[in-house]
Amino acid sequence: MTYLFLAIAIIAEVTATSALKASDEFTEIIPTMIVIVGYGAAFYFMTLVLRVLPIGITYAIWSGLGIVLVTVVGFLFYKQALNIPTIIGIGLIISGVVVINIFSTAINH
């Protein structure tokens, strides 16, 4: 269940972060509500994850995958360009998350 909760936290955070742009500085009610509910859900599910995983590992996975997914959302929905350095950086972030999950002895699989 820990990784399911982490996935929910990541999806909620990515949804909230992506809605920030659409909220138009919190002047649009629906996107603003998505931001509030999304961040609330993200932090709630993070607290559940922290019952099992160390905070550093949890945050590394959460933020790393969040960065990657928000970049993909920006590309697909907001037509934000990706250049070679961005793609290489995202690849390194993904590599870091994989290394943490495969090789870290701090995670109790």
Side-chain angles (χ1 to χ4, degrees):
M1 290 299 286
T2 301
Y3 284 98
L4 174 62
F5 292 155
L6 183 55
I8 293 169
I10 292 167
I11 291 167
E13 185 269 333
V14 168
T15 301
T17 300
S18 300
L20 275 172
K21 185 168 178 66
S23 77
D24 196 27
E25 299 175 3
F26 301 116
T27 61
E28 298 293 329
I29 189 70
I30 299 298
T32 297
M33 294 307 297
I34 292 170
V35 170
I36 293 166
V37 171
Y39 282 129
F43 289 121
Y44 171 73
F45 282 99
M46 280 278 286
T47 64
L48 300 179
V49 172
L50 293 174
R51 292 177 180 169
V52 177
L53 296 180
I55 192 167
I57 301 297
T58 300
Y59 192 71
I61 296 168
W62 182 63
S63 61
L65 292 179
I67 291 166
V68 171
L69 293 173
V70 167
T71 302
V72 170
V73 168
F75 175 76
L76 294 176
F77 294 101
Y78 295 111
K79 308 300 182 219
Q80 295 174 345
L82 298 177
N83 56 25
I84 296 299
T86 301
I87 293 168
I88 291 169
I90 288 171
L92 291 170
I93 291 168
I94 293 169
S95 299
V97 171
V98 169
V99 166
I100 288 169
N101 278 285
I102 292 174
F103 299 108
S104 178
T105 58
I107 297 177
N108 300 324
H109 289 288

